Amino acid sequence: MSQEGVGVDLETSLGYLLKEASSALRVAMEEVLRPLGMSVTHYSCLELLAQRPGLSNSELARGAFVTRQTMNVLLQALERDGYVTRPAEAAVGKVLPARLTPRGRRSLEKASAAVRSVEARMLTGLTETEQSGAFRILQSMIHSLRGDDEGA
Amino acid sequence: MSQEGVGVDLETSLGYLLKEASSALRVAMEEVLRPLGMSVTHYSCLELLAQRPGLSNSELARGAFVTRQTMNVLLQALERDGYVTRPAEAAVGKVLPARLTPRGRRSLEKASAAVRSVEARMLTGLTETEQSGAFRILQSMIHSLRGDDEGA
DNA sequence: GAACCTATGTCAGAATGCTGACATGAGTCA
DNA sequence: TGACTCATGTCAGCATTCTGACATAGGTTC
């Protein structure tokens, strides 16, 4: 506890621990996705589209926590390789709703199973109560960090 | 289409929420560090050195959750700009212990204060009990993800 | 001592993600 | 209608991080 105005104590910092946990999760996911030839962002995009078909490029970007420029590059590659389809022209506005192709769906199946097993491993040793507690606390952190409390 | 219950449910996934929280923290840190002309990894390196003087390049890399190659690039820049010093030759082996210069220490002061304020904001609305609960749960997750349980 | 394994520092090239910028479509407001 | 604002898709350039590779130092193990 020798952090008297000195700095952030890494041993007790929840921020540091959060980063460490996130890093460990990323490494574990990369480990199981690599054999499938898939990156984490790659997988995130497919999973998002499976659960919310018709998401636009910008919406996918927000869901995967990258910029829309980054997602656009990925989406073009996925489209080129036949995992995803987008209409050539927007029905309304500029928004191009993306959808998984059968090939994309097949590809996602294995990846999704692999990722679920990683998440399950992450939660071993934690009770239901602890898990829901963690859920609530993480949501609170996100809320506070984004400053959503301001006007509300 | 038939993804009901098959995939990872993003709405209730602790893994997804963990990534979201980590992303929010990173964004918030970048926001306060940008005016100081410092990136998150940049700051992490300096903070590590302040708390554990004499860390080697590889040790710094592990502490900042990047590869040693990445940290090496950063360290060379920090050395060139006079924030950090390393001996020209290793006293023993190949390990080069790095240390902050007075300039590095000064630079870190403001950044550390800024990051502390971000972490404080993140924890607003959480009780002491919740915080220590989160600490324990995150440590458990890291432990499980890394498979430390094996031999222990 | 020799063979072996591991960890380290470092260089080089590739992949990934970001910022900046631009044009365009939709909604708002006078 | 016209001006303004905002969100979107996209191109281009830059920054950051990674993987691959190599030489070297130290600690085994025989």
Side-chain angles (χ1 to χ4, degrees), chain A residues 7-8 10-11 13-17 20 22 48 51-52 63 112 116 119 121 124 130 135-136 144-145, chain B residues 6-8 10-11 13-17 22 48 51-52 63 112 119 121 124 130 135-136 144-146:
Chain A
V8 180
L10 297 178
E11 296 301 325
S13 160
L14 257 179
Y16 188 75
L17 200 63
E20 187 170 0
S22 174
L48 279 162
Q51 294 190 30
R52 310 214 258 276
S112 196
R116 254 179 307 155
E119 184 158 355
R121 188 170 88 224
T124 52
E130 286 172 324
F135 199 88
R136 214 172 40 73
S144 300
L145 281 171
Chain B
V6 174
V8 179
L10 297 178
E11 297 300 325
S13 161
L14 257 179
Y16 187 74
L17 200 62
S22 174
L48 279 162
Q51 296 191 28
R52 311 213 257 274
S112 196
E119 184 158 356
R121 188 170 89 223
T124 52
E130 286 172 325
F135 199 88
R136 214 173 40 74
S144 299
L145 281 171
R146 292 193 179 146

Side-chain angles (χ1 to χ4, degrees), chain B residues 5-64:
Chain B
V6 174
V8 179
D9 187 350
L10 297 178
E11 297 300 325
T12 62
S13 161
L14 257 179
Y16 187 74
L17 200 62
L18 180 58
K19 185 173 178 182
E20 188 170 359
S22 174
S23 166
L25 175 59
R26 165 166 281 268
V27 166
M29 285 179 67
E30 281 170 350
E31 211 165 274
V32 300
L33 288 176
R34 190 188 314 272
L36 302 174
M38 212 179 280
S39 76
V40 173
T41 311
H42 186 131
Y43 157 75
S44 300
C45 178
L46 263 45
E47 185 72 59
L48 279 162
L49 279 178
Q51 296 191 28
R52 311 213 257 274
L55 281 190
S56 71
N57 175 48
S58 287
E59 290 168 326
L60 285 168
R62 282 190 290 268

Side-chain angles (χ1 to χ4, degrees), chain A residues 70-119:
Chain A
T70 296
M71 182 55 74
N72 190 38
V73 170
L74 174 60
L75 216 43
Q76 284 175 354
L78 290 176
E79 209 174 354
R80 168 174 49 77
D81 297 342
Y83 295 103
V84 164
T85 45
R86 280 192 293 179
E89 291 207 3
V92 57
K94 299 185 68 178
V95 179
L96 298 174
R99 292 182 180 279
L100 289 181
T101 63
R103 178 176 186 181
R105 241 183 302 278
R106 268 196 309 278
S107 171
L108 174 61
E109 269 176 37
K110 297 171 204 146
S112 196
V115 169
R116 254 179 307 155
S117 76
V118 168
E119 184 158 355

Side-chain angles (χ1 to χ4, degrees), chain A residues 1-61:
Chain A
M1 319 298 183
S2 53
Q3 69 184 86
E4 210 56 47
V6 175
V8 180
D9 187 351
L10 297 178
E11 296 301 325
T12 62
S13 160
L14 257 179
Y16 188 75
L17 200 63
L18 180 58
K19 186 173 177 181
E20 187 170 0
S22 174
S23 166
L25 175 59
R26 167 167 280 269
V27 166
M29 284 178 67
E30 282 170 349
E31 210 165 275
V32 299
L33 288 176
R34 189 187 315 270
L36 303 174
M38 214 179 280
S39 75
V40 173
T41 311
H42 187 130
Y43 157 76
S44 300
C45 178
L46 263 45
E47 185 72 61
L48 279 162
L49 279 178
Q51 294 190 30
R52 310 214 258 276
L55 281 191
S56 72
N57 175 49
S58 288
E59 290 168 326
L60 285 168

